Amino acid sequence: MDFLIQSKAQQQESPNAPPVLAMASATLSLAAPYEIVGRSTFSVEQVAAGKVLKSGPIAMMNTYAKYAKVGAVAPADVTSAAAAAVQSGQVAANPEAYDESYLCPVSVGGQTLNLDFDTGSADLWVFSTLTPSSESTGHAKYNPSTSGKVKSGYTWDISYGDGSGASGTVYADKVVVGGVTATSQAVEAATSVSSQFTQDTDNDGLLGLAFSSINTVEPVQQTTFFDTVKSTLAKQLFTADLKKGAAGAYIDTSKYVGSITYVPVTTSNGFWEFTASGYSVGTSKTTSGSIGDSIADTGTTLLYLPTATVQAYYKQVSGASYNNAQGGYIFSCSATLPAFNVAIGGAVYTVPGSYINYAPINSAGTQCFGGIQENTGIGFSIFGDIFLKSVFAVFDETTSSPRLGFAEQ
Ligand SMILES: O=C(c1ccc(-c2ccco2)nc1O)N(Cc1ccccn1)C1CC1
């Protein structure tokens, strides 16, 4: 996951930088053909930091975008003027071991922390000097006393599906991701974190990218970083271009070939929620059946699907079985895994079989845990990193109703 801040020259500097979640707001319409080449980036373009200038060309571009559906096309000089009015930058992210999560350095009150960009939640919370040292050893900590403005009486408390959670108090401070600045963002300082977070010393907190309707701050709900900066972006969208391992693909607005297919999103639960259609296992792209209600969640590692779908998949993996002790499907690490194909919005996307061998579960490295698991007890399917690193994903709020776009990598 990666916000874009560098100039093009700088972006070429580290072509092999790790995968990134890209918040792209290219002035080009994303309906145009795209292909990802090079290093993936998180690119957000916005009006210069600090004073938010009301840019005429940007306002005009928004008007052209609004009426694009009836054929409006912005003249080249308006497009280039709008492009000149916004800045863009990028900062690389780092996949943890086994791509368990992807972390992106973020400046919070001038202090750099590595945060997990999570489209499945809506709180920006950080380890802080208020977190007991017994729970925060090894983590970078936000110190609100330097530039944070306390939001007196405000608290937050979040629990995640894996049983982890955190809680604390709230400050307003400057948050910069790449070249993108929120001059006054709600920063949720942890006064307590669960053991899962304490133990993951790479992770200094979360940056939520779901809808602000599920932000947990009380008594006044706060906006996500994206919602805070959205109005200053040339295009109100961000993109996720995650990769398996360190290799990544650069998102450069001028280097896209391919096409993006969109699917409608319902925001009633606060997630990027969509309907996934049929699926197939192996080489055939002829899908059948239906996966149904699903969310796109960069903060979830695996791909959680209906029981029937998961059984159909592992039926094709000799020796695979559901292991109660492990709480999921396991198989021999030397097993040949078929691809998993899924139809979304009329297009079919393929998760390569190798992506579905998630990680060894025994010290001998002979038994491996599946990247596809059952969604039992969740209530919907979760298209986490195992799927998202197989595609280029666009989290798009450029139109009156949010939508998700996917393109084959
Ligand atoms: O972990 C969460 C998750 C994220 C945010 C919130 C939340 C509560 C209040 C605001 O946000 N609650 C969650 O539970 N998963 C993934 C998941 C995985 C496994 C089981 C259940 N879920 C949400 C995105 C679906």
Side-chain angles (χ1 to χ4, degrees):
M1 303 170 199
D2 191 358
F3 265 111
L4 182 154
I5 24 165
Q6 296 164 337
S7 67
K8 288 262 179 304
Q10 286 167 306
Q11 287 156 12
Q12 254 61 29
E13 255 166 25
S14 47
N16 298 320
V20 292
L21 171 65
M23 185 177 275
S25 52
T27 49
L28 298 176
S29 155
L30 279 166
Y34 291 94
E35 174 187 317
I36 318 305
V37 288
R39 190 159 75 75
S40 57
T41 62
F42 200 112
S43 69
V44 178
E45 299 177 353
Q46 69 161 7
V47 173
K51 197 170 171 340
V52 175
L53 304 173
K54 289 293 173 206
S55 159
I58 288 180
M60 288 180 74
M61 283 306 285
N62 290 340
T63 303
Y64 280 109
K66 192 171 165 188
Y67 296 100
K69 57 179 175 284
V70 291
V73 176
D77 55 339
V78 174
T79 303
S80 54
V86 296
Q87 69 173 26
S88 61
Q90 94 190 41
V91 66
N94 299 297
E96 293 195 302
Y98 303 110
D99 300 347
E100 193 268 332
S101 76
Y102 295 80
L103 301 167
C104 190
V106 174
S107 171
V108 184
Q111 307 147 49
T112 300
L113 286 78
N114 288 323
L115 304 185
D116 179 359
F117 284 35
D118 178 15
T119 59
S121 66
D123 284 50
L124 194 171
W125 74 260
V126 290
F127 278 80
S128 75
T129 49
L130 310 175
T131 317
S133 52
S134 60
E135 297 175 10
S136 59
T137 304
H139 291 268
K141 301 171 189 66
Y142 165 63
N143 181 348
S145 64
T146 41
S147 55
K149 292 177 182 51
V150 67
K151 297 184 84 72
S152 184
Y154 283 47
T155 58
W156 60 280
D157 187 341
I158 193 166
S159 55
Y160 300 101
D162 61 0
S164 63
S167 59
T169 53
V170 188
Y171 295 81
D173 211 334
K174 178 174 171 181
V175 175
V176 185
V177 182
V180 181
T181 299
T183 48
S184 181
Q185 169 67 35
V187 176
E188 302 171 30
T191 55
S192 171
V193 301
S194 66
S195 58
Q196 296 95 326
F197 287 112
T198 298
Q199 287 157 16
D200 183 359
T201 51
D202 295 333
N203 182 333
D204 303 321
L206 263 70
L207 188 142
L209 291 166
F211 293 91
S212 298
S213 59
I214 60 171
N215 174 269
T216 70
V217 172
E218 291 181 350
V220 180
Q221 197 169 54
Q222 301 297 302
T223 55
T224 64
F225 178 80
F226 178 65
D227 275 351
T228 305
V229 301
K230 197 165 65 173
S231 63
T232 68
L233 300 182
K235 276 210 165 185
Q236 303 194 359
L237 59 85
F238 60 92
T239 64
D241 174 31
L242 307 182
K243 293 285 179 211
K244 182 168 169 40
Y250 174 70
I251 295 179
D252 177 329
T253 46
S254 60
K255 291 199 183 95
Y256 294 171
V257 175
S259 71
I260 291 178
T261 301
Y262 291 92
V263 64
V265 158
T266 175
T267 64
S268 50
N269 296 313
F271 301 128
W272 289 89
E273 192 167 354
F274 65 98
T275 299
S277 309
Y279 62 90
S280 65
V281 177
T283 50
S284 162
K285 301 279 178 96
T286 306
T287 60
S288 60
S290 172
I291 289 173
D293 188 21
S294 303
I295 70 163
D297 181 7
T298 57
T300 289
T301 309
L302 307 181
L303 173 51
Y304 295 89
L305 297 169
T307 300
T309 309
V310 178
Q311 286 174 342
Y313 179 79
Y314 286 113
K315 196 173 170 189
Q316 304 299 326
V317 180
S318 59
S321 65
Y322 185 89
N323 180 296
N324 285 309
Q326 292 292 332
Y329 279 84
I330 63 173
F331 42 78
S332 160
C333 294
S334 57
T336 303
L337 294 166
F340 178 76
N341 311 294
V342 56
I344 302 173
V348 178
Y349 303 96
T350 297
V351 179
S354 60
Y355 286 27
I356 301 165
N357 179 339
Y358 175 63
I361 52 170
N362 62 348
S363 47
T366 53
Q367 288 291 300
C368 277
F369 196 75
I372 285 176
Q373 296 295 342
E374 294 180 348
N375 68 4
T376 311
I378 298 177
F380 42 81
S381 291
I382 301 181
F383 283 66
D385 299 337
I386 293 288
F387 172 78
L388 290 170
K389 60 186 160 182
S390 310
V391 297
F392 172 70
V394 186
F395 296 77
D396 186 322
E397 291 193 45
T398 57
T399 60
S400 52
S401 54
R403 59 182 186 166
L404 271 167
F406 297 111
E408 284 278 14
Q409 281 282 4

